[in-house]
Amino acid sequence: MSVRILVSDPLPEGAVAILRGTPGITVEERRGLSEPELLPLVADIDAWVVRGATKVTRRLIEAAPKLRWVARAGAGIDNIDAAAARERGILVLNVPGANAVAVAELVFGLLLALFRQIPAADASLKRSEWAKARFQGRELRGKTIGILGLGKIGRAVAQRARAFEMRCVGHDPLLSEEATRALGVEPLPMEELLPRSEILTLHVPLSPETRGMIGAGEIARLPRGAVIVNAARGGLVDEAAVLEALERGHLSGAVFDVFAQEPPGGSPLVQRENVVATPHIGAATQEAQEAVGEEIVTLLLGKLRESGAIGESGPRTATPSRNPAHKKISR
């Protein structure tokens, strides 16, 4: 009997081809559907592949009696009701490291844009202005960057920070001091990291424990003129507290790729000149999307084989990522 897999968000063609080329699997691609539209589709599926757009709600999980696997092509699983899945014994899969290079590169793209006022300078020149004197910037070299979370993305950030000759301090309760130092990062508890961080960047998952982990109190402990970076998950940082700190000059700037509410609408935070913001594009590179797609379908197929849902024939592994850097960074 064929294993039915629903793919409800865009996946690279190569990843879908791997699924379709595996004996014993039937794939249905249906994108951009609302919860009511998904309800009849999930009634007979065994596995479900999503990215960030599809919300795998309790209602949908309860409407899918055969569902055993939900595979998230990406890092965060906050669009999946993990508690409901756990109650049903559904395995939730994700690939948190496949987009590490893309996110780390965006962090520094955003920081350079802020420190060198690149968006404003570009807009000025496009207005046929030549206002060199207005755009004196700052360098990253010599700055201390505090990294919260030293998984694959945090490590990729640290690697690039060292290339900019920055000082790296970090905090990750899952990593030993020895392992942290091996990354070229000075391990510090949160209470010591914050006053040292001229730039604070977050690379942790969103959970009940981490939601709002950087609020007014934490921001107050940063040195005056510090910069906050959130390219991880909306909700980790109290955006209202960041706005207030920017308005009174305690923070000199901020960069955001993610927001508590997406899209953020007319948020006054994104309107400020000393804020550089992008619409959740951290993983939006061709290389990262290929890697994410290939890795999640390979992981899912492995679980299907382990369970005996499909046989051992067919593709065993995905085509290696075309960007070798994706394979060099591991937790």
Side-chain angles (χ1 to χ4, degrees):
M1 196 169 170
S2 179
V3 172
R4 296 180 60 84
I5 300 178
L6 174 64
V7 179
S8 60
D9 288 327
L11 279 186
E13 291 181 6
V16 177
I18 291 169
L19 289 176
R20 292 193 183 281
T22 302
I25 286 178
T26 300
V27 178
E28 183 172 5
E29 290 186 85
R30 299 291 297 274
R31 304 171 183 175
L33 300 183
S34 64
E35 184 182 72
E37 292 170 320
L38 284 166
L39 279 170
L41 296 178
V42 301
D44 199 36
I45 63 171
D46 302 285
W48 193 352
V49 182
V50 301
R51 285 180 57 191
T54 297
K55 308 303 180 189
V56 183
T57 63
R58 177 176 291 273
R59 184 184 180 197
L60 287 168
I61 288 171
E62 291 174 349
K66 296 175 59 180
L67 184 63
R68 294 177 61 191
W69 300 272
V70 177
R72 163 71 161 96
I77 59 169
D78 40 292
N79 60 314
I80 300 168
D81 191 326
R86 198 162 43 245
E87 291 168 14
R88 279 274 315 280
I90 294 168
L91 186 61
V92 177
L93 310 171
N94 68 333
V95 282
N99 60 5
V101 171
V103 175
E105 288 186 357
L106 181 68
V107 165
F108 285 95
L110 292 170
L111 281 171
L112 289 170
L114 178 70
F115 274 55
R116 298 304 303 271
Q117 303 179 68
I118 293 171
D122 176 70
S124 172
L125 194 60
K126 285 179 166 62
R127 293 192 298 267
S128 300
E129 299 171 355
W130 190 256
K132 287 179 63 176
R134 285 171 46 197
F135 300 115
Q136 180 173 323
R138 295 179 289 166
E139 296 180 1
L140 295 178
R141 182 184 59 173
K143 303 292 187 296
T144 297
I145 184 168
I147 306 170
L148 294 181
L150 289 163
K152 293 184 179 181
I153 296 175
R155 295 176 187 209
V157 168
Q159 182 182 31
R160 284 149 184 79
R162 294 196 306 275
F164 277 103
E165 301 178 57
M166 303 177 77
R167 294 182 292 270
C168 297
V169 297
H171 175 72
D172 190 326
L174 301 180
L175 212 58
S176 70
E177 288 193 8
E178 182 181 8
T180 302
R181 292 187 189 281
L183 300 173
V185 178
E186 179 184 352
L188 291 175
M190 273 279 285
E191 59 269 21
E192 294 181 27
L193 178 142
L194 293 172
R196 292 271 302 275
S197 299
E198 295 169 278
I199 299 167
L200 179 69
T201 182
L202 289 85
H203 301 289
V204 299
L206 181 64
S207 69
E209 294 73 30
T210 61
R211 184 178 294 277
M213 67 182 296
I214 301 299
E218 289 75 21
I219 292 170
R221 295 165 68 184
L222 294 170
R224 186 170 181 83
V227 168
I228 285 181
V229 181
N230 189 7
R233 277 289 178 267
L236 295 173
V237 177
D238 183 337
E239 294 165 20
V242 171
L243 178 61
E244 192 274 335
L246 289 166
E247 289 174 340
R248 61 184 173 87
H250 183 69
L251 294 178
S252 66
V255 296
F256 281 83
D257 182 50
V258 294
F259 302 89
Q261 178 180 323
E262 295 184 353
S267 166
L269 181 65
V270 301
Q271 306 304 322
R272 292 189 60 87
E273 289 187 2
N274 56 349
V275 172
V276 177
T278 46
H280 204 152
I281 60 171
T285 67
Q286 178 180 339
E287 295 87 350
Q289 290 307 301
E290 289 175 353
V292 165
E294 291 168 358
E295 290 187 25
I296 195 61
V297 300
T298 299
L299 180 60
L300 175 59
L301 289 175
K303 296 300 181 182
L304 291 172
R305 291 190 177 99
E306 286 176 14
S307 72
I310 61 173
E312 293 295 323
S313 59
R316 290 302 305 266
T317 59
T319 304
S321 171
R322 297 173 188 171
N323 185 352
H326 286 290
K327 305 301 179 185
K328 295 180 180 177
I329 301 170
S330 59
R331 187 169 181 99

